[in-house]
């Protein structure tokens, strides 16, 4: 019951599914007679935080934001990658390969890149390496991309609670869904 305060309902349900699987294994191997009923926690469906083309265009017109940040946001919105994947992945030709240890699904992930994506990835990885070599905390470095994005939304007066850099991943997913 205390975990409800520290874990999201969807995370609790994933854990409950793992427990259910373990208990089924126990039943199949005669360690228990029956699997107890496990009820999932209700999850309120949240709409994805979508960034419209109009809003994204507004963000890109902010003059005091360095082009590096805008390019990073273009990369995220056109590839759907997670914030850390660009820093934890390795370039392999036209792909960014994210090792299982750094993938949310714990499977290797290959993200196809256009030539202009590759230049942005190289720039972001170079900045990352420089900061890490200077003793900067990797988490704080990556957080800067989110903070700059939220700053941009605030700058144009369009920030709403729940919007973040991850909204660009939602945007990518919605556009792909509409295409297919």
């Amino acid at each position: 019951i205390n975990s409800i305060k520290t874990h999201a309902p969807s995370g609790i349900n994933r854990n409950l599914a793992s427990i259910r699987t373990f208990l089924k294994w126990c039943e199949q191997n005669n360690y228990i007679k029956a699997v107890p009923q496990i009820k999932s926690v209700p999850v309120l469906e949240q709409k994805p935080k979508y960034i419209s083309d109009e809003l994204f265009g507004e963000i890109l017109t902010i003059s005091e934001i360095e082009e590096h940040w805008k390019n990073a946001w273009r990369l995220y919105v056109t590839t759907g990658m997670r914030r850390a994947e660009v820093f934890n992945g390795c370039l392999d030709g036209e792909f960014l390969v994210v090792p299982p240890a750094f993938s949310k699904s714990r499977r290797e992930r290959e993200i196809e890149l256009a030539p202009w994506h590759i230049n942005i990835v190289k720039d972001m990885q170079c900045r990352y390496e420089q900061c890490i070599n200077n003793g900067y905390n990797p988490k704080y470095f990556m957080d800067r991309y989110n903070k700059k994005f939220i700053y941009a939304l605030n700058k144009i007066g369009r920030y709403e609670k729940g919007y973040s850099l991850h909204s660009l991943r939602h945007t990518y997913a919605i556009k792909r869904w509409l295409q297919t």
Side-chain angles (χ1 to χ4, degrees), residues 103-127:
S103 170
K104 188 174 180 180
S105 64
R106 298 295 177 224
R107 290 187 217 128
E108 183 175 273
R109 184 162 138 72
E110 293 181 351
I111 303 164
E112 189 172 7
L113 303 174
W116 65 273
H117 287 143
I118 295 169
N119 293 331
I120 295 169
V121 168
K122 286 179 180 178
D123 181 39
M124 291 172 72
Q125 288 179 342
C126 181
R127 285 173 180 244

Side-chain angles (χ1 to χ4, degrees), residues 110-180:
E110 293 181 351
I111 303 164
E112 189 172 7
L113 303 174
W116 65 273
H117 287 143
I118 295 169
N119 293 331
I120 295 169
V121 168
K122 286 179 180 178
D123 181 39
M124 291 172 72
Q125 288 179 342
C126 181
R127 285 173 180 244
Y128 178 76
E129 287 299 319
Q130 287 172 347
C131 286
I132 301 313
N133 291 339
N134 289 332
Y136 211 81
N137 183 321
K139 182 187 179 327
Y140 296 141
F141 176 83
M142 289 183 230
D143 284 348
R144 290 172 60 198
Y145 287 84
N146 188 51
K147 287 179 181 179
K148 284 285 188 180
F149 187 73
I150 290 171
Y151 168 81
L153 288 170
N154 278 319
K155 186 78 177 158
I156 59 174
R158 302 283 298 266
Y159 176 74
E160 293 178 28
K161 186 178 183 208
Y163 280 91
S164 67
L165 184 69
H166 196 74
S167 301
L168 299 177
R169 182 171 166 77
H170 289 200
T171 302
Y172 172 81
I174 288 170
K175 285 183 176 186
R176 293 289 298 159
W177 181 78
L178 289 172
Q179 288 174 351
T180 58

Side-chain angles (χ1 to χ4, degrees), residues 36-85:
Q37 185 178 11
I38 298 175
K39 292 184 180 180
S40 297
V41 176
V43 177
L44 296 174
E45 286 294 320
Q46 294 181 353
K47 291 183 179 179
K49 300 296 182 182
Y50 173 80
I51 304 292
S52 69
D53 289 341
E54 175 195 351
L55 178 55
F56 194 66
E58 280 185 61
I59 292 167
L60 297 179
T61 63
I62 303 171
S63 60
E64 59 265 19
I65 292 184
E66 185 184 335
E67 202 61 30
H68 169 77
W69 303 108
K70 295 175 186 179
N71 284 336
W73 303 333
R74 286 182 186 105
L75 173 74
Y76 287 118
V77 80
T78 57
T79 61
M81 69 174 71
R82 291 182 175 88
R83 181 186 60 185
E85 288 178 331

Side-chain angles (χ1 to χ4, degrees), residues 90-106:
C90 299
L91 286 171
D92 183 11
E94 296 177 352
F95 292 89
L96 179 71
V97 180
V98 181
F102 298 108
S103 170
K104 188 174 180 180
S105 64
R106 298 295 177 224

